[in-house]
Amino acid sequence: NKDIVSTIENVTVSAVISVTLGFALGVVLHAMLRLRATIEPLLASYYAVPTFIFYPIFIVVFGVSSRAIIGIAVLLSVVAMITSTLTGLDRIPGVLRKTAAVYRMSTLTRAVLIDFPAAAPHLFTGMKLAFAYAFIGVIASEFILSGQGIGYAIAYAYNNFDNRNMYGLMLLVILLATTANAALDTVDRHMQNRMRR
């Protein structure tokens, strides 16, 4: 079904952009303390602002297209990855940083061998949250910004009193979200078990 494929594609693209951009911004903010002090209060209150108030801007910039849907989904989900990255980097044990200093590791070497592996559980939590918010953002945006996708199909069925399809699609959304979350949890547990060894 083209609606299912369209939604999965948009969610995947949104999640990948959010994780990549959020991780990069998190690393930059962690390294630039003054900028972080300015930005962090905004991050803390970010979700108090309903993201969908910006959808007219996205329509003007991107038109009624998948790009507008992806833009809103990224706006909704990227902050989760930024905050998780900051948390992960903040909680790296000091002894690991001292070990890196003793071995005179370069910044890049320390990041690859110590910082990112130590922060991995928090980074993966950010990835899970980014995916969840991207999924919500795409489905919700499809109700108002798209001519295809699961969200659009649900809205179309609702407006045409097609309860059978509407409830079937709602169940599909729940199953997709639950399956994806279960898969991510499995990977997360596997990573946690490997790190404890």
Side-chain angles (χ1 to χ4, degrees):
N1 187 302
K2 67 177 183 179
D3 290 323
I4 297 173
V5 172
S6 175
T7 295
I8 291 174
E9 287 179 351
N10 287 339
V11 170
T12 302
V13 172
S14 301
V16 169
I17 293 173
S18 297
V19 168
T20 304
L21 182 61
F23 174 74
L25 291 175
V27 170
V28 170
L29 288 175
H30 187 265
M32 302 176 68
L33 297 181
R34 288 186 179 179
L35 180 61
R36 178 178 180 175
T38 303
I39 298 295
E40 204 157 31
L42 300 176
L43 297 178
S45 59
Y46 184 81
Y47 287 111
V49 178
T51 307
F52 290 97
I53 65 172
F54 299 110
Y55 90 85
I57 298 173
F58 282 89
I59 291 177
V60 171
V61 175
F62 298 114
V64 180
S65 66
S66 292
R67 289 181 296 174
I69 292 171
I70 290 168
I72 288 179
V74 169
L75 190 65
L76 184 64
S77 56
V78 69
V79 171
M81 189 64 198
I82 294 173
T83 54
S84 293
T85 301
L86 289 172
T87 301
L89 294 176
D90 286 343
R91 295 187 179 181
I92 296 171
V95 65
L96 295 180
R97 296 189 184 278
K98 290 178 181 178
T99 301
V102 168
Y103 284 98
R104 298 181 179 178
M105 293 182 180
S106 67
T107 302
L108 180 60
T109 302
R110 191 189 75 183
V112 172
L113 297 181
I114 292 180
D115 292 353
F116 296 151
H122 295 284
L123 297 178
F124 198 78
T125 297
M127 291 171 63
K128 290 195 295 183
L129 289 172
F131 173 81
Y133 283 125
F135 193 87
I136 292 168
V138 167
I139 294 292
S141 297
E142 287 174 347
F143 275 85
I144 52 176
L145 292 176
S146 181
Q148 62 181 0
I150 296 175
Y152 166 78
I154 291 173
Y156 183 84
Y158 171 78
N159 290 329
N160 287 277
F161 304 99
D162 186 356
N163 290 337
R164 181 177 178 181
N165 277 333
M166 183 184 73
Y167 288 121
L169 289 167
M170 290 169 65
L171 178 60
L172 176 62
V173 169
I174 294 171
L175 290 174
L176 286 174
T178 302
T179 301
N181 191 56
L184 291 171
D185 280 340
T186 300
V187 175
D188 190 17
R189 285 196 300 271
H190 180 69
M191 288 177 59
Q192 297 278 8
N193 290 336
R194 289 192 64 179
M195 291 186 68
R196 292 192 190 102
R197 294 174 185 173

PDB file of all heavy atoms in Angstrom, residues 70-90:
ATOM      1  N   ILE A  70       8.407  16.047   6.860  1.00  0.00           N
ATOM      2  CA  ILE A  70       9.696  15.672   7.441  1.00  0.00           C
ATOM      3  C   ILE A  70      10.240  16.826   8.290  1.00  0.00           C
ATOM      4  O   ILE A  70      10.779  16.606   9.380  1.00  0.00           O
ATOM      5  CB  ILE A  70      10.692  15.278   6.339  1.00  0.00           C
ATOM      6  CG1 ILE A  70      10.270  13.944   5.704  1.00  0.00           C
ATOM      7  CG2 ILE A  70      12.111  15.167   6.895  1.00  0.00           C
ATOM      8  CD1 ILE A  70      11.007  13.597   4.432  1.00  0.00           C
ATOM      9  N   GLY A  71      10.080  18.054   7.806  1.00  0.00           N
ATOM     10  CA  GLY A  71      10.548  19.220   8.555  1.00  0.00           C
ATOM     11  C   GLY A  71       9.895  19.326   9.923  1.00  0.00           C
ATOM     12  O   GLY A  71      10.571  19.564  10.933  1.00  0.00           O
ATOM     13  N   ILE A  72       8.586  19.150   9.980  1.00  0.00           N
ATOM     14  CA  ILE A  72       7.872  19.217  11.254  1.00  0.00           C
ATOM     15  C   ILE A  72       8.288  18.071  12.164  1.00  0.00           C
ATOM     16  O   ILE A  72       8.505  18.253  13.376  1.00  0.00           O
ATOM     17  CB  ILE A  72       6.349  19.204  11.022  1.00  0.00           C
ATOM     18  CG1 ILE A  72       5.902  20.539  10.431  1.00  0.00           C
ATOM     19  CG2 ILE A  72       5.607  18.934  12.322  1.00  0.00           C
ATOM     20  CD1 ILE A  72       4.435  20.624  10.138  1.00  0.00           C
ATOM     21  N   ALA A  73       8.422  16.872  11.602  1.00  0.00           N
ATOM     22  CA  ALA A  73       8.820  15.710  12.400  1.00  0.00           C
ATOM     23  C   ALA A  73      10.220  15.901  12.986  1.00  0.00           C
ATOM     24  O   ALA A  73      10.474  15.557  14.143  1.00  0.00           O
ATOM     25  CB  ALA A  73       8.758  14.447  11.551  1.00  0.00           C
ATOM     26  N   VAL A  74      11.126  16.458  12.189  1.00  0.00           N
ATOM     27  CA  VAL A  74      12.487  16.724  12.677  1.00  0.00           C
ATOM     28  C   VAL A  74      12.450  17.780  13.777  1.00  0.00           C
ATOM     29  O   VAL A  74      13.115  17.635  14.816  1.00  0.00           O
ATOM     30  CB  VAL A  74      13.405  17.182  11.524  1.00  0.00           C
ATOM     31  CG1 VAL A  74      14.728  17.707  12.067  1.00  0.00           C
ATOM     32  CG2 VAL A  74      13.658  16.027  10.561  1.00  0.00           C
ATOM     33  N   LEU A  75      11.673  18.832  13.579  1.00  0.00           N
ATOM     34  CA  LEU A  75      11.544  19.877  14.584  1.00  0.00           C
ATOM     35  C   LEU A  75      11.026  19.300  15.903  1.00  0.00           C
ATOM     36  O   LEU A  75      11.447  19.731  16.988  1.00  0.00           O
ATOM     37  CB  LEU A  75      10.590  20.962  14.080  1.00  0.00           C
ATOM     38  CG  LEU A  75      10.512  22.260  14.883  1.00  0.00           C
ATOM     39  CD1 LEU A  75      11.842  22.996  14.845  1.00  0.00           C
ATOM     40  CD2 LEU A  75       9.386  23.141  14.344  1.00  0.00           C
ATOM     41  N   LEU A  76      10.147  18.331  15.811  1.00  0.00           N
ATOM     42  CA  LEU A  76       9.566  17.709  17.002  1.00  0.00           C
ATOM     43  C   LEU A  76      10.544  16.775  17.702  1.00  0.00           C
ATOM     44  O   LEU A  76      10.547  16.671  18.930  1.00  0.00           O
ATOM     45  CB  LEU A  76       8.292  16.946  16.609  1.00  0.00           C
ATOM     46  CG  LEU A  76       7.483  16.298  17.738  1.00  0.00           C
ATOM     47  CD1 LEU A  76       6.927  17.377  18.666  1.00  0.00           C
ATOM     48  CD2 LEU A  76       6.356  15.456  17.167  1.00  0.00           C
ATOM     49  N   SER A  77      11.398  16.087  16.940  1.00  0.00           N
ATOM     50  CA  SER A  77      12.193  14.999  17.505  1.00  0.00           C
ATOM     51  C   SER A  77      13.659  15.315  17.759  1.00  0.00           C
ATOM     52  O   SER A  77      14.317  14.630  18.545  1.00  0.00           O
ATOM     53  CB  SER A  77      12.103  13.770  16.592  1.00  0.00           C
ATOM     54  OG  SER A  77      12.511  14.079  15.268  1.00  0.00           O
ATOM     55  N   VAL A  78      14.208  16.338  17.135  1.00  0.00           N
ATOM     56  CA  VAL A  78      15.649  16.577  17.209  1.00  0.00           C
ATOM     57  C   VAL A  78      16.113  16.932  18.619  1.00  0.00           C
ATOM     58  O   VAL A  78      17.208  16.552  19.046  1.00  0.00           O
ATOM     59  CB  VAL A  78      16.073  17.676  16.203  1.00  0.00           C
ATOM     60  CG1 VAL A  78      15.535  19.037  16.615  1.00  0.00           C
ATOM     61  CG2 VAL A  78      17.590  17.711  16.060  1.00  0.00           C
ATOM     62  N   VAL A  79      15.266  17.632  19.375  1.00  0.00           N
ATOM     63  CA  VAL A  79      15.668  18.061  20.723  1.00  0.00           C
ATOM     64  C   VAL A  79      15.874  16.871  21.655  1.00  0.00           C
ATOM     65  O   VAL A  79      16.736  16.901  22.533  1.00  0.00           O
ATOM     66  CB  VAL A  79      14.633  19.056  21.301  1.00  0.00           C
ATOM     67  CG1 VAL A  79      14.914  19.348  22.777  1.00  0.00           C
ATOM     68  CG2 VAL A  79      14.681  20.351  20.519  1.00  0.00           C
ATOM     69  N   ALA A  80      15.096  15.817  21.460  1.00  0.00           N
ATOM     70  CA  ALA A  80      15.275  14.618  22.288  1.00  0.00           C
ATOM     71  C   ALA A  80      16.672  14.047  22.122  1.00  0.00           C
ATOM     72  O   ALA A  80      17.306  13.606  23.091  1.00  0.00           O
ATOM     73  CB  ALA A  80      14.226  13.566  21.922  1.00  0.00           C
ATOM     74  N   MET A  81      17.190  14.083  20.896  1.00  0.00           N
ATOM     75  CA  MET A  81      18.542  13.574  20.642  1.00  0.00           C
ATOM     76  C   MET A  81      19.594  14.523  21.189  1.00  0.00           C
ATOM     77  O   MET A  81      20.624  14.080  21.719  1.00  0.00           O
ATOM     78  CB  MET A  81      18.744  13.358  19.139  1.00  0.00           C
ATOM     79  CG  MET A  81      20.033  12.622  18.796  1.00  0.00           C
ATOM     80  SD  MET A  81      20.010  10.932  19.466  1.00  0.00           S
ATOM     81  CE  MET A  81      21.764  10.545  19.414  1.00  0.00           C
ATOM     82  N   ILE A  82      19.362  15.821  21.083  1.00  0.00           N
ATOM     83  CA  ILE A  82      20.312  16.792  21.622  1.00  0.00           C
ATOM     84  C   ILE A  82      20.466  16.602  23.129  1.00  0.00           C
ATOM     85  O   ILE A  82      21.581  16.519  23.660  1.00  0.00           O
ATOM     86  CB  ILE A  82      19.856  18.239  21.325  1.00  0.00           C
ATOM     87  CG1 ILE A  82      19.886  18.522  19.821  1.00  0.00           C
ATOM     88  CG2 ILE A  82      20.746  19.250  22.063  1.00  0.00           C
ATOM     89  CD1 ILE A  82      19.286  19.870  19.443  1.00  0.00           C
ATOM     90  N   THR A  83      19.351  16.543  23.848  1.00  0.00           N
ATOM     91  CA  THR A  83      19.409  16.430  25.310  1.00  0.00           C
ATOM     92  C   THR A  83      19.997  15.100  25.753  1.00  0.00           C
ATOM     93  O   THR A  83      20.747  15.040  26.733  1.00  0.00           O
ATOM     94  CB  THR A  83      18.009  16.620  25.921  1.00  0.00           C
ATOM     95  OG1 THR A  83      17.082  15.706  25.318  1.00  0.00           O
ATOM     96  CG2 THR A  83      17.501  18.035  25.706  1.00  0.00           C
ATOM     97  N   SER A  84      19.696  14.026  25.034  1.00  0.00           N
ATOM     98  CA  SER A  84      20.268  12.721  25.380  1.00  0.00           C
ATOM     99  C   SER A  84      21.778  12.702  25.145  1.00  0.00           C
ATOM    100  O   SER A  84      22.532  12.103  25.919  1.00  0.00           O
ATOM    101  CB  SER A  84      19.598  11.612  24.564  1.00  0.00           C
ATOM    102  OG  SER A  84      18.248  11.464  24.938  1.00  0.00           O
ATOM    103  N   THR A  85      22.215  13.360  24.081  1.00  0.00           N
ATOM    104  CA  THR A  85      23.658  13.454  23.806  1.00  0.00           C
ATOM    105  C   THR A  85      24.361  14.231  24.911  1.00  0.00           C
ATOM    106  O   THR A  85      25.422  13.810  25.409  1.00  0.00           O
ATOM    107  CB  THR A  85      23.907  14.138  22.450  1.00  0.00           C
ATOM    108  OG1 THR A  85      23.266  13.384  21.411  1.00  0.00           O
ATOM    109  CG2 THR A  85      25.400  14.235  22.143  1.00  0.00           C
ATOM    110  N   LEU A  86      23.784  15.348  25.319  1.00  0.00           N
ATOM    111  CA  LEU A  86      24.370  16.140  26.400  1.00  0.00           C
ATOM    112  C   LEU A  86      24.428  15.336  27.697  1.00  0.00           C
ATOM    113  O   LEU A  86      25.445  15.345  28.399  1.00  0.00           O
ATOM    114  CB  LEU A  86      23.554  17.417  26.620  1.00  0.00           C
ATOM    115  CG  LEU A  86      23.670  18.491  25.530  1.00  0.00           C
ATOM    116  CD1 LEU A  86      22.657  19.608  25.771  1.00  0.00           C
ATOM    117  CD2 LEU A  86      25.082  19.061  25.488  1.00  0.00           C
ATOM    118  N   THR A  87      23.355  14.622  28.003  1.00  0.00           N
ATOM    119  CA  THR A  87      23.323  13.811  29.221  1.00  0.00           C
ATOM    120  C   THR A  87      24.383  12.718  29.186  1.00  0.00           C
ATOM    121  O   THR A  87      25.101  12.489  30.165  1.00  0.00           O
ATOM    122  CB  THR A  87      21.931  13.173  29.409  1.00  0.00           C
ATOM    123  OG1 THR A  87      20.945  14.194  29.486  1.00  0.00           O
ATOM    124  CG2 THR A  87      21.877  12.331  30.676  1.00  0.00           C
ATOM    125  N   GLY A  88      24.480  12.047  28.038  1.00  0.00           N
ATOM    126  CA  GLY A  88      25.464  10.978  27.902  1.00  0.00           C
ATOM    127  C   GLY A  88      26.892  11.479  28.060  1.00  0.00           C
ATOM    128  O   GLY A  88      27.708  10.864  28.759  1.00  0.00           O
ATOM    129  N   LEU A  89      27.204  12.601  27.435  1.00  0.00           N
ATOM    130  CA  LEU A  89      28.560  13.158  27.525  1.00  0.00           C
ATOM    131  C   LEU A  89      28.849  13.706  28.929  1.00  0.00           C
ATOM    132  O   LEU A  89      29.989  13.639  29.399  1.00  0.00           O
ATOM    133  CB  LEU A  89      28.742  14.247  26.480  1.00  0.00           C
ATOM    134  CG  LEU A  89      28.694  13.781  25.013  1.00  0.00           C
ATOM    135  CD1 LEU A  89      28.788  14.964  24.062  1.00  0.00           C
ATOM    136  CD2 LEU A  89      29.813  12.777  24.724  1.00  0.00           C
ATOM    137  N   ASP A  90      27.821  14.234  29.592  1.00  0.00           N
ATOM    138  CA  ASP A  90      28.006  14.744  30.961  1.00  0.00           C
ATOM    139  C   ASP A  90      28.315  13.629  31.953  1.00  0.00           C
ATOM    140  O   ASP A  90      29.013  13.857  32.947  1.00  0.00           O
ATOM    141  CB  ASP A  90      26.748  15.478  31.435  1.00  0.00           C
ATOM    142  CG  ASP A  90      26.578  16.846  30.786  1.00  0.00           C
ATOM    143  OD1 ASP A  90      27.578  17.354  30.237  1.00  0.00           O
ATOM    144  OD2 ASP A  90      25.461  17.385  30.827  1.00  0.00           O
TER     145      ASP A  90
END
